Every structure is written in structure tokens, then in C-alpha cells.
Amino acid sequence: MKATAKAHTNIALIKYWGKRDERLILPTNSSLSLTLDGFSTTTTVAFQEDLSEDQFMLDNQRVEGEAFRRVTKFLDLIRQHAGKEQLYATVNSINDVPTAAGFASSASGFAALAAAGAKAIGLDLDDQALSRLTRQGSGSACRSIYGGFAEWEMGELTDGSDSYAVPIAPAERWDVRVAAVVLSSTMKKVSSRAGMKRTVETSPFYAGWIDSIPNDLKQIKEAIAAKDFEKVGSIAEANCLKMHATTLAANPPFTYWHDTTMRVMQTVGDMRGDGIPAYFTIDAGPNVKVLYLPEDEVRVKQKLSEISGVSDVILSKPGQGISYL
Ligand code: ADP
Ligand code: DP6
Ligand code: CO
């Protein structure tokens, strides 16, 4: 009744930004990501007959409030699946990633929780079923079941049975690197969940975002298959800018960017001017991820580290999917 799983975060190259069903976490668009080896969550779930409620420890601290409710609601799904509604658990999770700062802690966090929870209660799920379950904890997490490049197919059905991630290319296929440029590890003011909801409901730019996704996805999948780095990078960078543009037109308007975010974006453009192929992407937070190739690692790290306001640069390779410890 006890299991431990490890999952890595992923960085979206084509962003998930908006839900058509908030309860089931069904997206308004398909998305595509690269799993990263640099950031991870390790979670142990132990179901115990003698407990009368769940307990959630994150980084050795007892968690209550909204983050606790998200975990218990997710455990309810696992319990229902297994037909063991009255069985509660202790969850011990260690984030080797800043929590709620735009580094996709919800992705590694819910992927590890789903894998450990399902195993601990005795469910035998294949990757597709595990991805579908994980999706209901945090949408981006359903892609972290797989290593390398993965696509979350939005699906069409109202019950969510056709909404899950599929592997596009394993981590070994292509050694693309990602530098996570850390400006701030403090928790963001607008969670991903609240930010995308406000955007869907109020941003007049949202329709343009949705219209542009099928072509972005088609093009980036061709570019990944061809290992065309410049094409992958430029599509990802443009897709990120489109997503962030939708927030500026929301009501009330908001942005995840800080002044240093923009300095990093400018430096990445300057690097390209100097002949270094590098491209940025940004999730729901101020921190920037920079895509580059292994041969440029030293120069990329140096240039990014010199930017005023940057506190750390963490380098990642493509990471593996779920593993059990
Ligand atoms: P992020 O950019 O870090 O993904 P989100 O706003 O999407 O930010 O999600 C952050 C939330 O994810 C946290 O407030 C918490 O509810 C949840 N979370 C983060 N890490 C874990 C974990 N290890 N286990 C369970 N839930 C987690
Ligand atoms: C900008 O998966 O964190 O990082 O499904 O509400 O938990 P919930 O949101 P979350 O949203 C991620 C948004 C994003 C883009 C992406 O990862 O695709
Ligand atoms: Co998240």
C-alpha cells in the first residue's frame, strides 16, 4: 500500500492555455512539451487503514489550504478508480523545483503523485491511462508521464477519455538543451489555473490564440522529426509570445513578466545576432527558459549569467518519464 515515484517537469513549446472543462481539466487546445532532467519531484504515497483523513507533506512541511485540497481531490479519483473510497493516505513529496514559481512544479508534482498513488493502491495503469488520470491533477502534468517530447492531444469527447499525452520523440533522440534562467523563486501572484481562466473568459485575443495552434503544432512536429533546431526554436518562441499577449488583453489585464524577464528575452535575441542559435520560452511566471544546442552551452550560460537581475542559470538535458523507486 506504499509506493514512491519520481517525475520531471516539462517545458511547453506549444502552450496549454485554457480549459473547456475545469472539473475534468479538458483543454481548449493541444500542446507539446519537452521533459527536463534538471527539475523533478519525488513523492511517496502510503495508504493506511488507520487514517481518517489524508495528510500532505511537501518538502517536510505539513500543507493545508488550497494545495492540500488539490491533493485530496486527486486522491479521491484514485480511490474511486480502485473502489476503496474510505482508504486515506499520507503523501510525502520533495520538490527539486521551486514551487508555484513558473517552473511547472504542478507538472512534476501531479505526475509523481499519480504514479505513486496509483501504484500504492494497486491500480495497474498503462501510460495512456496514467496520463489521463494525471491530467485531472494538473493539465501540464499529463505530458510528464513521458520523457523527451510529448504532445497532449486535447481530445473531443466531453468525458475526457480521449484527452491524454502521447510520446513524440524519446529523450535520447535529440540532445536539445534548456537553460532555466532564475530571476525569482517566489510564488507567483496569479496561478496558472486562475490566469488561464481569466484569459479564456475575458481576453479578446483568445480567439486568435486558438486559431493559430493547429499550424504551430503541425510545423513544430515536422521540425522535431527533422531535428531542425532553428525551426523548433522560432515556433516555440513565437507561440510563447502569443500566449503572453493574451494576458495583456484580459480583464483585469496582467502579465507574468518582470523587467529582468524582458532583459533575458533581449539577450537571447542578441545571442542570435552573434551567431548563437538560442530561443526563449516562458511559462506562467517571470522566469525564462532558453533552448540551445550542446556546443553553445558554455557561451549561453555565461551570457545569461551576466544579465543583471538573474540569480541562477540551471542547465537541463531532455529528461526521462515517470520512474518508480
Ligand atoms: P507551477 O508553475 O509551479 O506549475 P502552478 O500555479 O501551476 O505553478 O501550480 C502550483 C501548485 O501545484 C502548488 O500551489 C500546489 O498546489 C501544486 N503542487 C506543486 N508541487 C506539488 C507537489 N509536489 N505535490 C502536489 N502538488 C504540488
Ligand atoms: C503556461 O498545468 O499548471 O505552463 O491544469 O490548472 O494545473 P492546471 O494548470 P497548469 O498550466 C500550465 C500553463 C503553462 C503552459 C503549459 O505548461 O503548457
Ligand atoms: Co503548473
Side-chain angles (χ1 to χ4, degrees):
M1 298 297 260
K2 182 173 170 181
T4 301
K6 179 175 179 179
H8 292 95
T9 64
N10 64 78
I11 176 69
L13 305 180
I14 306 297
K15 309 290 184 195
Y16 145 53
W17 195 240
K19 296 180 180 68
R20 66 181 198 272
D21 183 318
E22 281 168 21
R23 188 180 62 87
L24 292 172
I25 309 200
L26 298 178
T28 44
N29 67 273
S30 296
S31 55
L32 187 144
S33 61
L34 178 61
T35 299
L36 303 179
D37 77 346
F39 297 102
S40 63
T41 298
T42 303
T43 298
T44 300
V45 178
F47 287 98
Q48 288 162 254
E49 304 280 2
D50 56 346
L51 290 175
S52 57
E53 59 179 8
D54 297 318
Q55 187 184 316
F56 175 36
M57 305 282 289
L58 178 57
D59 297 332
N60 300 310
Q61 306 257 2
R62 180 96 184 240
V63 178
E64 280 162 36
E66 181 55 26
F68 172 70
R69 278 191 294 279
R70 271 181 82 162
V71 167
T72 48
K73 275 177 65 184
F74 189 73
L75 291 173
D76 287 344
L77 295 174
I78 292 179
R79 285 187 272 264
Q80 275 161 26
H81 230 295
K84 293 177 181 164
E85 270 87 350
Q86 299 305 320
L87 191 58
Y88 296 98
T90 57
V91 175
N92 272 290
S93 188
I94 302 292
N95 273 352
D96 195 6
V97 49
T99 301
F103 285 105
S105 69
S106 70
S108 53
F110 278 94
L113 180 64
K119 184 151 191 243
I121 212 164
L123 290 171
D124 187 18
L125 305 179
D126 61 17
D127 283 351
Q128 188 186 100
L130 184 59
S131 177
R132 207 188 283 115
L133 170 69
T134 303
R135 186 200 78 223
Q136 295 182 71
S138 177
S140 55
C142 78
R143 301 182 306 238
S144 277
I145 301 306
Y146 301 100
F149 294 91
E151 179 182 4
W152 175 11
E153 296 179 344
M154 63 180 285
E156 293 173 354
L157 303 174
T158 52
D159 68 356
S161 55
D162 60 349
S163 188
Y164 47 79
V166 296
I168 295 289
E172 298 73 29
R173 177 80 63 78
W174 191 15
D175 189 9
V176 171
R177 302 280 168 94
V178 177
V181 186
V182 185
L183 332 178
S184 164
S185 297
T186 52
M187 309 243 282
K188 53 200 175 197
K189 292 197 193 85
V190 184
S191 69
S192 305
R193 189 159 290 186
M196 69 176 82
K197 181 171 157 65
R198 192 192 300 174
T199 305
V200 172
E201 287 170 356
T202 66
S203 177
F205 294 176
Y206 195 69
W209 162 257
I210 291 298
D211 285 348
S212 73
I213 298 293
N215 189 48
D216 282 5
L217 267 173
K218 178 174 176 285
Q219 299 288 336
I220 205 165
K221 283 194 275 186
E222 285 173 15
I224 292 166
K227 295 193 187 176
D228 182 340
F229 181 71
E230 270 139 58
K231 188 168 170 189
V232 168
S234 51
I235 295 167
E237 191 173 291
N239 184 269
C240 153
L241 289 169
K242 273 187 286 198
M243 178 206 122
H244 287 271
T246 66
T247 72
L248 293 175
N251 183 14
F254 65 105
T255 182
Y256 288 108
W257 299 355
H258 294 182
D259 53 352
T260 310
T261 309
M262 299 202 60
R263 275 201 293 282
V264 178
M265 291 158 67
Q266 260 146 13
T267 302
V268 171
D270 293 346
M271 285 197 252
R272 289 206 290 273
D274 294 341
I276 305 172
Y279 298 86
F280 63 79
T281 184
I282 306 163
D283 276 345
N287 304 294
V288 184
K289 282 81 181 182
V290 178
L291 299 163
Y292 64 92
L293 291 169
E295 57 265 34
D296 298 315
E297 182 147 292
V298 174
R299 284 196 294 169
V300 168
K301 176 154 193 188
Q302 160 110 38
K303 292 235 187 255
L304 295 173
S305 305
E306 282 167 0
I307 302 168
S308 109
V310 168
S311 61
D312 201 2
V313 178
I314 302 167
L315 306 179
S316 272
K317 295 179 185 173
Q320 300 297 329
I322 285 290
S323 59
Y324 297 91
L325 281 82

